[in-house]
Structure formats: C-alpha cells, structure tokens
Amino acid sequence: MTSQGSFLMAAAWPVERREAVWLRTAVLVVLGTALIAVCAKIQVPMWPVPMTMQTFAVLVIGGAYGWRLGGATVLAYLAEGAAGLPVFAGATAGPAYFAGPTTGYLIGFVLSAMLIGWLAERGWDRDLPRLVIALAAASVVTFVAGVAWLAVLIGLSAAIANGFTPFIPGMILKLALAAALLTAGWHMVRRRRG
C-alpha cells in the first residue's frame, strides 16, 4: 500500500532513480515548510492562540506527501522555528517558543500530518466522503494535542472555550479548502495519465 504512487505527490512527480527521489524529497520539504510558514502569518489574532492557516497547510501537506514525508516536513518546519527562523505565528522563535500556549498545536501538527498522510496512502484521499472523514480526524488530533497543552496552562474549561470552540468555523473552512485542493490534485493526475 505504500508504493511510490500511493500518495498524491508521488503520483504527480514520479521518479525512478534514487538520486531523483532525494531531489524530490528535498524540494517538497522546502516547499512544504515555506507553505506552513506563510500560512502561519495569515492569522486572526485571538487569545491565547491565534487562528492561522497552518492547519490547512498541514492537512494538505500530509495528504499530498504521505505520512513519512508529511511528518518529516512538519518536523523540519518546527526545527526551523526552534533554530530561530521567523516561521511561527508569533513574532518570536527559538526554543523558548515551545513553552508557550501554541506548543500543543505544534506537536499536533506533526501527528495530524502523519495521520492524514497514512490514510491518504491507503486511498482515503481518492473519494470525497472518506477524504472529509480523514481530514476531520486529522484536525481533531491537532485540537486534542493543542487543548491538552493549553489546559495545563489555563485549565481545561478555559482551554476548550478559548482553544477549540472559536476555531470550529475556521476549521470547517480549512477542511473544505484542503478537500478541494487534494481532490483537484488527484483529478489533474488522472487527467494527465489519460
């Protein structure tokens, strides 16, 4: 089930030689981390965590890249932020950023990308109803991790009220956008194959 064409980007950019696989991997990681960083800056300021487009980027990357490359891309993004690059939603970066209110969501991004990627490799991204279920499940993973960490800082009730409930409409929109983009990607791959 995890053959080379089992996820969208492998089908869209097939490669045969090992060197070409490394090139594809490097290019996709760079593009993926850049997308997450740009999406981090698209935000609605809220307390204690902002609403950003990062979850959209994570869902698309996981769905398009598969679980290994999707998870590795999100880990690379977190490493960039830990190294001090300005890739996070906030104005700061570095290791101290991981002690803030968004830490759980950042960890959830990795798990979310891996879950949607794993499901995509098993064909859940090939039809819309299963894709929506997979995207919703991956979104829930992000929120469970995020709210759990936030609860440590501000209590469970406040974490749910401030770190989950106001994000529901935005999450529905991001889920719909991710579903549309992944579906369009597979449609283009199928058309190209004839």
Side-chain angles (χ1 to χ4, degrees), residues 11 21 24 35 43 104 126:
V21 172
R24 179 182 66 190
L35 176 64
Q43 59 182 272
R126 307 315 191 284

Side-chain angles (χ1 to χ4, degrees), residues 62-90:
Y65 287 14
W67 80 269
R68 287 179 191 91
L69 184 55
T73 300
V74 178
L75 284 171
Y77 164 76
L78 296 179
E80 290 170 357
L85 295 176
V87 296
F88 294 139

Side-chain angles (χ1 to χ4, degrees), residues 116-139:
I116 187 65
W118 187 83
L119 291 169
E121 288 180 11
R122 279 141 187 85
W124 283 63
D125 61 339
R126 307 315 191 284
D127 68 88
L128 191 57
R130 290 195 325 161
L131 175 58
V132 169
I133 292 168
L135 290 167
S139 298

Side-chain angles (χ1 to χ4, degrees), residues 30-57:
V30 169
L31 291 175
T33 59
L35 176 64
I36 301 170
V38 168
C39 286
K41 304 306 180 186
I42 302 170
Q43 59 182 272
V44 176
M46 298 172 71
W47 182 89
V49 293
M51 182 183 307
T52 71
M53 289 298 289
Q54 287 169 290
T55 48
F56 161 77

